Amino acid sequence: MKVPTTVSSPDMSLLDQYERQLLRRVAREVRRDILLTTFAASSGHPGGSLSETEILVSLYSKILRHDPKRPDWADRDRFILSKGHATPGLYATLANKGYFSRSELQGFRKINSLLQGHSKIGIPGVEMSAGSLGQGLSFGVGVALACRLDKRSYRTYVLLGDGECDEGQVWEAAMSASHYKVDTLTAIIDRNRIQNDRFVSQVMEIEPLAAKWKGFGWNVVRAQGHSFLSLQRAFLRAQQIKGRPTVIIANTTKGKGVSFMEDNPDFHGKPPNAQQFLQAMEEIGYKGRKMLDEMRKFGFSEQVMNHVWDTRTV
Amino acid sequence: MKTESTRETFGNTLVELGKSNQNIVVIGADLNKSTFASLFGREFPERFFDVGAAEQNMMSIAAGLAFSGKISFVNTFAVFGTSRPHDQIRVGIAQAGANVKIVCTHAGITVGEDGISAQSIEDIALMCALPGVTVIVPADAPETAQAIKVAAREYGPFYIRLSRSSTPVIHSDGYSFQLGKGETVREGKDVTIFATGIMVATAVESANRLVFEGIECRVVNMATLKPLDEEIITRAALETGAIVTAEEHYMYGGLGSLIAQTVAKTHPVPMEVVAQDRYAESGKPELLLEKYGLSSADIEMAVQKVVRRKGA
């Protein structure tokens, strides 16, 4: 098959040190944009966006066969965000890859803007309207069935939250995916151990998770969700499995990279305030002037920048 | 009057469409024999997916297929295809504008013996409440065949409501269904009866009897409930000065509510709504229609009442 030059082809080899360094840089930019967008919007979901960052960067940089200039290319690999609230991470990644201008991030969750609070069809690169948990894996089964009917070769990836696995529909979908033997379908579970109210184990225990998926007929692969090497290995393993779908249980940390958000249920759906934003930016590597430069480029007013800066001395 | 099964017509029409259009896929939830979608499955097994008794999964799979270039026909009973997976329809089909056609059989009280859990009397309200969804309730088999074809041709979400029982055939072979247009099946000057689905034939029966009472009824078949033909409603209000609606549905959120909303804003006239006012029970369809206020006698009483109010 002829692959256009603009398309990033999957790298079948494992990552060398140089590539890992590049990916870490992209992840740092995505984290920066997650903080900028949620702070600018004064709303949104930073916790699950920070936990999914490496998964998204790994997919969009190394795994997906895609072309940001042609989001409707029939042979593209599909990425479906089932945990539809984790849009800051998705939008930051899509902007980074060129699906739309990075300036759109400033409008996140604001009236008359492209980027809706929960992912929605019509935004370049977004494959499914989500926001009500539990629907993405079923959608992915439909996409994978269409792929088979059309005798195409694309793959379908669905990212679910671990709290999302409370939804009964996830298991309806799991059962149907193995029934239809859709081996082009890969589910990834962002196993950050926290859902909206509290820790998953406190709200509704989902373990033994791997045994559940195995019981539903899936191939189960475990990965360290913040390690590009581990993720790459898992994705390549999934591509080799025939006759059944694969789920990658990716162990992650909610709020990864920002000390006070890590493992903290409070930041599931709460944006940082000015002081928290400043500290968070510092922790991911944007200190002092560098942070102000990023705020200016993002389109913050001098007034807001001063307000953030002033929290340093408080 | 000759009767024909609208659900059997649905199955046969699917097969006909499937032959000419490779993109048509059918998804069901373990009721494909009853809906006659199994006819499509027999002909095109590779494009037919029975996902089991899992309606939520069915709706989202249908959306996934639709956004991969397919025309998804989803089928089950009206209770299972509207209220149970309403969230999946709302977010994944209506808000997304998916090319999914939800065709439900066994709607309304005429499901009969299975009782109130199976009698869908809320589905029109549920589906009309979703922006961007076209809602059609065909009156008979010929109209069903055409509505299914229109749904396959037009892009976007559709809900088509069919019955369990065979339905009197009121249309001839030459009939041409117009999406979004009411159809005047009988002319009259004193009052207009707007009816939908199986109640169209009942309304005609009532109108024929009311002639002997000296009342000339216009009867309009409102097969498309959304988008609503406001023009034909306003014209009826102006020209006949009184309106009766008849539907096999709950009295709130269905045809009566839709027409009242239009009449109130364009040309208010006396109105009566013939519909169910409570949950029913198990029983034979004909007896249930009579007990719960959906018979031709109920329409006749409503007409006489509204004509009296008009004269007052």
Side-chain angles (χ1 to χ4, degrees):
Chain A
M1 196 193 76
K2 192 168 167 281
V3 177
T5 49
T6 50
V7 172
S8 36
S9 297
D11 186 345
M12 295 311 288
S13 65
L14 286 179
L15 308 163
D16 62 27
Q17 211 179 343
Y18 171 70
E19 285 173 303
R20 297 209 298 270
Q21 206 177 331
L22 265 176
L23 291 172
R24 278 198 290 270
R25 201 169 72 199
V26 178
R28 195 172 73 138
E29 289 167 4
V30 168
R31 285 210 163 79
R32 172 199 68 197
D33 287 350
I34 290 168
L35 294 170
L36 286 162
T37 47
T38 52
F39 181 59
S42 296
S43 96
H45 297 74
S49 291
L50 292 167
S51 69
E52 73 186 358
T53 298
E54 279 77 14
I55 296 167
L56 293 176
V57 172
S58 177
L59 280 167
Y60 280 91
S61 299
K62 303 303 293 182
I63 300 297
L64 297 182
R65 186 174 61 183
H66 70 120
D67 178 359
K69 297 287 163 266
R70 288 186 301 156
D72 53 0
W73 177 34
D75 279 313
R76 73 192 181 281
D77 287 341
R78 270 68 163 175
F79 172 74
I80 292 152
L81 183 72
S82 190
K83 40 176 267 179
H85 54 279
T87 42
L90 178 65
Y91 296 159
T93 308
L94 291 175
N96 192 288
K97 295 298 169 192
Y99 278 90
F100 44 79
S101 161
R102 186 166 169 255
S103 63
E104 295 288 352
L105 297 178
Q106 172 65 256
F108 174 59
R109 286 181 169 249
K110 291 178 186 157
I111 196 165
N112 299 325
S113 296
L114 176 70
L115 301 180
Q116 299 301 298
H118 289 79
S119 48
K120 188 172 181 301
I121 281 274
I123 299 168
V126 172
E127 299 282 359
M128 185 189 92
S129 288
S132 184
L133 292 173
Q135 302 183 12
L137 193 58
S138 303
F139 188 95
V141 171
V143 172
L145 289 173
C147 174
R148 179 187 290 166
L149 277 178
D150 293 340
K151 299 185 170 56
R152 292 187 187 274
S153 61
Y154 62 81
R155 298 189 61 85
T156 304
Y157 296 88
V158 182
L159 179 60
L160 300 98
D162 50 0
E164 183 177 9
C165 293
D166 292 351
E167 293 283 0
Q169 191 186 354
V170 169
W171 304 101
E172 292 183 2
M175 188 149 61
S176 61
S178 60
H179 176 82
Y180 293 122
K181 300 182 171 61
V182 277
D183 52 15
T184 57
L185 179 70
T186 303
I188 308 120
I189 300 187
D190 182 359
R191 183 76 173 108
N192 60 33
R193 293 168 290 117
I194 291 174
Q195 55 194 109
N196 186 70
D197 283 356
R198 287 193 292 167
F199 285 87
V200 170
S201 59
Q202 296 172 312
V203 176
M204 185 53 61
E205 182 57 84
I206 61 171
E207 291 293 347
L209 192 56
K212 286 191 176 78
W213 287 92
K214 273 185 198 138
F216 276 83
W218 285 59
N219 175 49
V220 181
V221 176
R222 290 178 186 279
Q224 293 309 314
H226 299 300
S227 156
F228 286 110
L229 201 57
S230 175
L231 286 168
Q232 179 89 353
R233 226 178 247 136
F235 285 127
L236 297 186
R237 181 92 193 98
Q239 288 174 11
Q240 286 155 8
I241 298 292
K242 300 292 168 217
R244 63 197 161 130
T246 293
V247 59
I248 298 171
I249 300 177
N251 286 322
T252 59
T253 300
K254 197 139 182 173
K256 175 74 176 176
V258 178
S259 61
F260 58 90
M261 290 188 182
E262 285 192 2
D263 286 331
N264 183 354
D266 289 349
F267 285 95
H268 168 85
K270 194 177 80 174
N273 64 27
Q275 192 185 355
Q276 291 164 337
F277 171 73
L278 179 121
Q279 190 190 334
M281 287 292 277
E282 278 187 357
E283 287 185 15
I284 61 162
Y286 297 89
K287 286 195 175 75
R289 289 252 151 261
K290 267 167 89 178
M291 183 210 62
L292 290 177
D293 284 348
E294 291 300 339
M295 287 187 78
R296 188 175 296 111
K297 273 190 274 178
F298 199 79
F300 282 99
S301 67
E302 288 295 325
Q303 196 190 354
V304 176
M305 287 166 62
N306 287 337
H307 174 60
V308 169
W309 192 250
D310 287 347
T311 63
R312 275 164 67 90
T313 51
V314 171
Chain B
M1 196 181 254
K2 181 185 147 202
T3 65
E4 240 175 80
S5 158
T6 51
R7 53 191 165 115
E8 198 169 344
T9 301
F10 162 58
N12 288 326
T13 309
L14 275 182
V15 172
E16 189 187 331
L17 285 168
K19 283 178 184 155
S20 58
N21 192 335
Q22 290 295 312
N23 279 328
I24 289 182
V25 294
V26 174
I27 310 102
D30 200 29
L31 289 170
N32 295 288
K33 282 187 288 187
S34 304
T35 64
F36 285 91
S38 54
L39 298 177
F40 183 94
R42 208 165 55 200
E43 201 80 21
F44 311 104
E46 73 288 353
R47 286 190 269 148
F48 176 74
F49 306 99
D50 185 345
V51 303
E55 293 79 12
Q56 306 174 51
N57 195 30
M58 168 173 73
M59 289 300 171
S60 304
I61 286 180
L65 282 157
F67 280 110
S68 308
K70 304 297 167 198
I71 303 166
S72 298
F73 273 88
V74 165
N75 76 92
T76 182
F77 292 179
V79 276
F80 307 128
T82 60
S83 55
R84 182 166 191 131
H86 200 254
D87 180 46
Q88 284 72 13
I89 300 170
R90 174 178 175 266
V91 176
I93 295 172
Q95 294 184 351
N99 201 16
V100 174
K101 323 299 172 183
I102 302 165
V103 183
C104 289
T105 64
H106 295 65
I109 198 171
T110 50
V111 142
E113 292 84 346
D114 276 340
I116 60 171
S117 69
Q119 293 164 4
S120 177
I121 64 167
E122 314 88 345
D123 57 309
I124 292 175
L126 284 167
M127 300 309 286
C128 283
L130 297 169
V133 177
T134 301
V135 177
I136 306 175
V137 186
D140 63 2
E143 191 162 63
T144 299
Q146 295 205 31
I148 299 293
K149 287 177 190 169
V150 166
R153 197 177 63 220
E154 302 283 328
Y155 191 91
F158 273 68
Y159 175 58
I160 298 177
R161 181 195 216 231
L162 306 177
S163 305
R164 171 177 168 243
S165 323
S166 284
T167 310
V169 178
I170 61 164
H171 292 109
S172 60
D173 288 344
Y175 170 64
S176 159
F177 166 69
Q178 302 292 315
L179 181 65
K181 296 280 173 220
E183 176 211 4
T184 306
V185 292
R186 190 183 192 288
E187 268 303 350
K189 58 176 177 32
D190 299 327
V191 56
T192 303
I193 309 170
F194 285 97
T196 193
I198 63 160
M199 297 305 284
V200 177
T202 313
V204 171
E205 197 186 313
S206 305
N208 289 341
R209 273 212 292 266
L210 283 159
V211 174
F212 301 107
E213 310 284 326
I215 302 171
E216 287 294 339
C217 299
R218 179 183 297 181
V219 178
V220 178
N221 166 26
M222 292 298 273
T224 313
L225 295 186
K226 232 179 83 193
L228 191 65
D229 185 354
E230 297 199 347
E231 197 265 327
I232 204 168
I233 300 167
T234 308
R235 196 147 39 82
L238 281 165
E239 292 172 3
T240 66
I243 287 173
V244 169
T245 62
E247 65 199 296
E248 188 197 6
H249 188 264
Y250 188 43
M251 60 188 291
Y252 295 111
L255 177 71
S257 297
L258 292 165
I259 290 189
Q261 193 173 337
T262 302
V263 168
K265 80 178 176 200
T266 56
H267 188 77
V269 294
M271 232 191 107
E272 286 294 327
V273 174
V274 175
Q276 253 176 280
D277 68 349
R278 72 195 72 179
Y279 283 120
E281 63 189 294
S282 288
K284 288 203 183 304
E286 317 81 70
L287 299 179
L288 289 172
L289 286 168
E290 207 172 301
K291 178 168 176 181
Y292 290 90
L294 299 173
S295 67
S296 57
D298 293 295
I299 297 178
E300 286 158 44
M301 275 191 295
V303 166
Q304 282 166 334
K305 201 166 158 190
V306 89
V307 167
R308 274 200 303 276
R309 283 172 60 202
K310 176 186 166 185

